[in-house]
Amino acid sequence: MEVINANKAALKLMGLASLEAIEPLIEKIIDPEIRTLVLSGVEVLNVPLRCDLHEEETNCLCSYIPVIPEGGAEVHGMIVLIKPGMVSSVPPVESWLEWGRRYINQVILNLREGVCYLDTKGRIIYANRTFKEMSNSSFEEISGQHIASVLKPTCRPLFLMEAVEKTVKEGSWQGEFEVRCAEGPRALLATSAKVSSEEGKDLGIAIFARDITERKWLESEMQWRNQELSLVYDLLHLTTAYQDLEEGLKQLLARILPIVKAEAGVIYVCDLNAYEPQLVTYQGLAYRSAKDLTSGKEGKLLTRKIVQSATGVIFNREPGQGHSILSGRRGELLSLAAVPISSMTRSAGVLMVGHKESGHFGDNELRVLLSLASQIGVVFELAGLLDDLRNRLEELGRERDFSRALVDSMPSALVLLDNRGRMVYINQRFSELLGYTLGEVENNSFSSLVIPGGRKKIMADVMIRERSSGVWLDADLIDKWGDTLAVLLTSTPRPFESGEYSGAIVTITDVSEQRAREIEAQEIGETAKGLSRELAGARDSLQLLDSRKEAYLFMVHYEVATPLKYIGEEIGSLEKGMADIPPDEARSRLQRMRQVLRRLERLALDIQDAAGMEKGKLRLRRREMNLCEMTSRVVDEIADGQELSISLDLPDESIIGRADTLRMEQALMCVLNHAMESSPESAMRVSLSHKGNEAHWQIENTGTAGESKTLQSLNDIISGKGLPGMESNVDTGFFICNHVITAHGGSMRVEESGDGTAICFSIPL
């Protein structure tokens, strides 16, 4: 390492005259460990420097700062700052870092709290003696180890790892946890804080841990004692309210023994004049010893001594000193503690506990027994009242049974509500009406029985507070099975207790039958109105039936007249030139006559449908059919029969739909006949297309456009405003087509198309 520059102050402190004189002293000024730290980018501040320069002792503090060019990452050298300083200790033999650890040890050596330092990753870099005792390890064993692997919490293995992360993020952390040690589990209260440099750089984490095992044990002990005392007081309350005296004191004694850590105990009463004890209950004593206490002379003398003592007495005997007063199941009781039980209405009593070890009981246990004896005295006081209360309760019970029988015999259901609207009593009629028992609805709000939507209003009316008024209202209640029941509610306030509102008395009357009769009467009225409307509709239906009858007659007339006319013409032609007709022409004419016969077959079906016609609707026999094939077949029949040229436009793919084949052929044939007879000389074009969920036909003729009156009459036939004339087969066929299309759920229209007329109709697929 080369010295580049030094100021005059540095040369003066070191007693040197020139820059070249510093070169031999570099190894003394810069320790190898310091050099390693600085060249790695770490600042080292205020390091004591005590060395003999030119046989003169120099006391200085040195700081070493790495030199890193701006924008760079590598260390190119260091700056050494030297300032005068006094070092009070002897120069350390070890490195300055070890000397620093020893210095910190001297400061916190006598602390009872554990102190350790961690790096930013939670690894231990320093620990004092107390912390090493907590971890039961030496520093060499825990150095560089994560704190979670040194202190092992019993709650969660990752608890301390989370604490380290929280300290790094938030700057500090505090918490209690239990760790496993060689002596057993220990409770620690730890506080951690993040350590940063003046420049804000994170240096690590400091942890301050205190052993609170003893404090936690005391808290647990006090909590346990308080819990036992609470149980005793609760038992006293239950004893005075519900149980008999002997059973209550027996349970009480069982809870007193653990509190004072006694092996056996006894409670007995005695007469204040004769001091003759009478056994009430005992636990842990030998039966013979308990009997001797209440029947022997020694027990009488002992009782007198205890009763006359205001603070109680303690008896201790050493083994072999004589016969013990009491004996337990495990042997003689050498230590006894006894306190008097005072009472005004009963004879005095004694509470006595014992232990087999002499000197087991002291003043603390005696004070606890006195406190408990005072509570037992209260029990004795209340026991007399309890007997009187039992007698009164029996009388009240008989009166209550009479009142309950009277309330249960009421024709209306009855429920009592407290001041918060909760049900506290129901009669038998309530259970019969709504299906609930008292256990199912007790302490539940009455609003739970009301249907949603009107609960708030009904509860506001039911919880009336005016003494001189009542409420009558209709409501719907929900029974146990979820059905709605129409009822009439009446509500009056319950008798006020101590001037305060105590709730309401609600009676429930079933009006469902009355409501059903009202609804039935209303339905009868609605039915009468409906019948009058049906009568009016029947009149309209008769008129419609007449129009449908005429339409059917037109259909029959058309279906009969056209084939008969054609058959007559063909028969006449055959009679005139039977011999001269070629065989092909004869077969063609016979084929056309077969087509005419098919039309007569359709007529037979029409007559059959007339017998089952309902409200003017045709009876359809729907089957899946290829509409393209049906259209092509009808057009070919018409073209062959009339020797016309009809252009046909069909889609590339077949159109499959559900329809009556004969009816659809009849409708298409009627439209084609109508178009041919309206314009015999014009060309015709028939097209079929698939639009949405419908099949659409369009029949166009290219002759002159139809007159407006003709188009209007056809549209009137479609809308039902007009009927075809009997002399016009054209209009009759058009009417038949419209009737068939309407029966299939389709629609039909007539419109002008260029120089001609277009008839369009569609049916759903």
Side-chain angles (χ1 to χ4, degrees):
M1 182 171 290
E2 181 183 356
V3 179
I4 299 175
N5 193 10
N7 62 0
K8 294 180 180 181
L11 295 174
K12 184 177 180 181
L13 284 174
M14 293 186 292
L16 303 175
S18 62
L19 184 64
E20 291 76 10
I22 301 177
E23 293 287 349
L25 303 177
I26 289 297
E27 297 298 331
K28 295 183 178 181
I29 298 174
I30 304 175
D31 188 80
E33 189 174 359
I34 294 176
R35 178 186 300 177
T36 303
L37 290 173
V38 175
L39 293 180
S40 63
V42 179
E43 294 182 359
V44 181
L45 306 176
N46 298 327
V47 178
L49 177 62
R50 295 197 60 166
C51 60
D52 296 333
L53 301 175
H54 299 287
E55 299 180 355
E56 294 182 4
E57 185 178 1
T58 304
N59 297 324
C60 301
L61 293 176
C62 294
S63 297
Y64 306 89
I65 302 172
V67 177
I68 302 175
E70 184 176 357
E74 296 182 356
V75 178
H76 287 213
M78 71 176 72
I79 299 174
V80 181
L81 300 179
I82 305 173
K83 59 182 178 179
M86 297 298 295
V87 181
S88 59
S89 63
V90 178
V93 179
E94 298 85 3
S95 66
W96 70 273
L97 291 176
E98 185 63 28
W99 177 86
R101 293 190 182 100
R102 289 180 176 273
Y103 179 75
I104 295 175
N105 272 333
Q106 292 177 3
V107 175
I108 61 176
L109 179 63
N110 296 323
L111 289 180
R112 297 182 57 188
E113 291 78 9
V115 179
C116 73
Y117 292 97
L118 314 177
D119 60 9
T120 54
K121 295 183 179 180
R123 295 173 297 193
I124 297 175
I125 59 176
Y126 172 78
N128 70 341
R129 183 179 62 187
T130 306
F131 187 86
K132 288 184 284 187
E133 292 176 355
M134 289 179 180
S135 62
N136 197 26
S137 304
S138 63
F139 181 73
E140 289 74 12
E141 293 174 341
I142 64 176
S143 177
Q145 301 293 325
H146 197 283
I147 189 170
S149 63
V150 176
L151 296 179
K152 299 178 181 178
T154 58
C155 53
R156 288 186 290 123
L158 302 180
F159 177 76
L160 287 180
M161 296 182 69
E162 296 173 359
V164 171
E165 292 178 0
K166 189 172 183 181
T167 304
V168 173
K169 291 180 180 179
E170 301 181 4
S172 63
W173 172 85
Q174 186 175 17
E176 295 182 5
F177 57 94
E178 191 177 79
V179 297
R180 294 188 297 271
C181 299
E183 300 82 5
R186 300 174 69 179
L188 300 180
L189 172 63
T191 302
S192 63
K194 185 167 63 174
V195 180
S196 304
S197 64
E198 295 179 355
E199 293 78 10
K201 183 179 180 181
D202 293 340
L203 300 180
I205 299 173
I207 295 181
F208 185 84
R210 176 177 296 171
D211 189 351
I212 58 171
T213 305
E214 185 177 355
R215 190 189 76 182
K216 297 293 287 186
W217 179 84
L218 290 175
E219 291 178 357
S220 177
E221 184 74 10
M222 291 301 296
Q223 185 178 4
W224 173 77
R225 287 179 176 270
N226 291 336
Q227 184 180 7
E228 289 294 330
L229 287 173
S230 176
L231 289 173
V232 171
Y233 296 148
D234 291 342
L235 179 62
L236 288 172
H237 175 72
L238 293 174
T239 300
T240 56
Y242 305 106
Q243 304 176 3
D244 60 8
L245 181 61
E246 184 176 352
E247 181 64 25
L249 292 177
K250 183 177 180 181
Q251 298 182 23
L252 174 62
L253 183 60
R255 285 162 174 78
I256 291 176
L257 296 181
I259 295 176
V260 295
K261 298 181 180 180
E263 292 186 354
V266 61
I267 297 177
Y268 60 89
V269 296
C270 63
D271 188 280
L272 289 176
N273 298 322
Y275 296 103
E276 294 181 356
Q278 180 183 354
L279 184 65
V280 177
T281 183
Y282 67 94
Q283 184 172 345
L285 290 178
Y287 175 74
R288 176 59 60 184
S289 180
K291 294 296 291 182
D292 291 343
L293 178 65
T294 56
S295 60
K297 182 178 180 181
E298 187 176 1
K300 184 176 180 180
L301 296 176
L302 179 62
T303 301
R304 180 191 295 271
K305 183 176 181 180
I306 295 172
V307 171
Q308 292 178 351
S309 173
T311 59
V313 293
I314 296 177
F315 303 96
N316 289 312
R317 290 188 181 184
E318 296 297 330
Q321 283 188 353
H323 179 66
S324 177
I325 301 175
L326 295 177
S327 296
R329 296 175 181 175
R330 299 173 57 189
E332 294 184 348
L333 301 178
L334 301 180
S335 181
L336 297 176
V339 293
I341 300 173
S342 59
S343 174
M344 295 177 61
T345 59
R346 284 179 176 265
S347 301
V350 173
L351 169 61
M352 183 186 300
V353 295
H355 197 276
K356 69 175 184 176
E357 295 181 1
S358 179
H360 178 76
F361 299 110
D363 293 339
N364 291 334
E365 287 77 10
L366 206 59
R367 283 194 293 268
V368 173
L369 289 175
L370 282 172
S371 175
L372 296 174
S374 64
Q375 300 298 326
I376 298 174
V378 175
V379 175
F380 285 169
E381 291 288 340
L382 296 177
L385 297 175
L386 189 61
D387 294 336
D388 297 337
L389 288 175
R390 283 199 181 98
N391 296 331
R392 295 295 303 274
L393 286 175
E394 290 178 359
E395 296 178 5
L396 290 175
R398 290 190 292 270
E399 295 178 1
R400 181 198 61 189
D401 294 339
F402 175 77
S403 301
R404 180 170 294 177
L406 184 63
V407 172
D408 287 340
S409 62
M410 291 175 58
S412 298
L414 182 138
V415 57
L416 300 183
L417 307 181
D418 61 9
N419 57 0
R420 300 178 66 179
R422 296 174 300 190
M423 294 176 279
V424 296
Y425 173 76
I426 59 174
N427 67 345
Q428 185 177 354
R429 177 57 181 161
F430 184 95
S431 300
E432 295 173 355
L433 186 63
L434 297 176
Y436 297 103
T437 62
L438 179 59
E440 294 173 338
V441 298
E442 190 173 10
N443 294 326
N444 292 339
S445 176
F446 183 74
S447 62
S448 61
L449 304 180
V450 183
I451 61 173
R455 293 177 174 176
K456 187 174 182 180
K457 181 180 182 303
I458 289 179
M459 290 304 296
D461 294 337
V462 166
M463 301 303 291
I464 184 173
R465 293 176 178 267
E466 298 180 7
R467 304 187 187 187
S468 59
S469 61
V471 174
W472 297 70
L473 69 156
D474 293 324
D476 292 325
L477 301 184
I478 304 173
D479 62 13
K480 184 178 180 179
W481 302 277
D483 297 330
T484 302
L485 189 67
V487 298
L488 174 66
L489 300 180
T490 62
S491 176
T492 56
R494 294 173 62 182
F496 281 51
E497 298 178 359
S498 303
E500 296 182 357
Y501 178 68
S502 59
I505 303 173
V506 180
T507 59
I508 304 172
T509 304
D510 184 8
V511 296
S512 56
E513 294 183 2
Q514 179 182 351
R515 188 79 59 85
R517 287 194 293 270
E518 293 175 357
I519 294 175
E520 185 178 358
Q522 185 177 0
E523 290 178 352
I524 292 174
E526 294 293 335
T527 303
K529 292 180 182 178
L531 289 175
S532 63
R533 288 193 296 267
E534 288 184 6
L535 289 175
R539 183 180 64 252
D540 297 338
S541 298
L542 288 174
Q543 295 176 356
L544 178 62
L545 185 61
D546 290 340
S547 64
R548 295 295 184 184
K549 179 190 68 177
E550 294 180 5
Y552 181 74
L553 293 176
F554 289 142
M555 184 186 300
V556 173
H557 173 267
Y558 177 80
E559 291 289 350
V560 172
T562 301
L564 291 178
K565 176 183 176 183
Y566 184 77
I567 290 174
E569 292 176 357
E570 289 295 324
I571 292 175
S573 176
L574 289 173
E575 289 177 350
K576 291 178 181 180
M578 178 67 70
D580 301 330
I581 297 175
D584 293 339
E585 183 178 353
R587 282 193 299 271
S588 175
R589 290 187 176 185
L590 289 174
Q591 184 178 1
R592 287 196 293 271
M593 292 181 70
R594 286 194 195 96
Q595 294 175 359
V596 172
L597 290 176
R598 288 184 61 189
R599 301 186 69 170
L600 291 175
E601 290 176 358
R602 295 192 192 101
L603 176 61
L605 291 175
D606 291 342
I607 295 173
Q608 183 180 2
D609 290 342
M613 185 180 298
E614 297 177 1
K615 298 183 180 180
K617 293 184 179 179
L618 294 176
R619 180 183 298 174
L620 300 179
R621 299 172 179 84
R622 296 179 184 268
R623 299 288 187 275
E624 283 195 0
M625 58 180 295
N626 191 329
L627 300 180
C628 295
E629 293 180 357
M630 184 273 296
T631 304
S632 177
R633 183 170 60 252
V634 173
V635 170
D636 291 343
E637 290 179 2
I638 294 294
D640 293 342
Q642 301 295 332
E643 296 181 355
L644 294 175
S645 176
I646 302 176
S647 62
L648 181 61
D649 183 10
L650 298 177
D652 296 335
E653 297 181 357
S654 299
I655 301 177
I656 306 299
R658 289 183 59 83
D660 189 325
T661 305
L662 293 178
R663 291 298 182 193
M664 289 303 300
E665 290 179 356
Q666 180 184 14
L668 184 57
M669 191 174 294
C670 290
V671 173
L672 292 175
N673 287 335
H674 176 273
M676 288 188 298
E677 294 185 18
S678 298
S679 302
E681 304 298 330
S682 62
M684 295 181 59
R685 180 174 179 270
V686 178
S687 62
L688 171 63
S689 60
H690 189 179
K691 295 183 178 180
N693 196 31
E694 293 184 339
H696 180 74
W697 286 267
Q698 183 168 340
I699 295 92
E700 299 177 285
N701 57 12
T702 57
T704 57
E707 297 181 357
S708 59
K709 292 183 179 180
T710 303
L711 294 178
Q712 182 64 37
S713 65
L714 294 178
N715 285 319
D716 289 343
I717 292 174
I718 293 174
S719 62
K721 296 180 181 179
L723 294 173
M726 293 294 293
E727 69 281 357
S728 175
N729 287 339
V730 175
D731 292 347
T732 302
F734 189 80
F735 178 82
I736 293 173
C737 178
N738 178 60
H739 199 59
V740 172
I741 297 301
T742 303
H744 279 82
S747 61
M748 188 174 181
R749 69 179 186 277
V750 181
E751 59 187 20
E752 293 183 3
S753 175
D755 295 334
T757 304
I759 300 175
C760 305
F761 62 90
S762 304
I763 64 169
L765 298 177

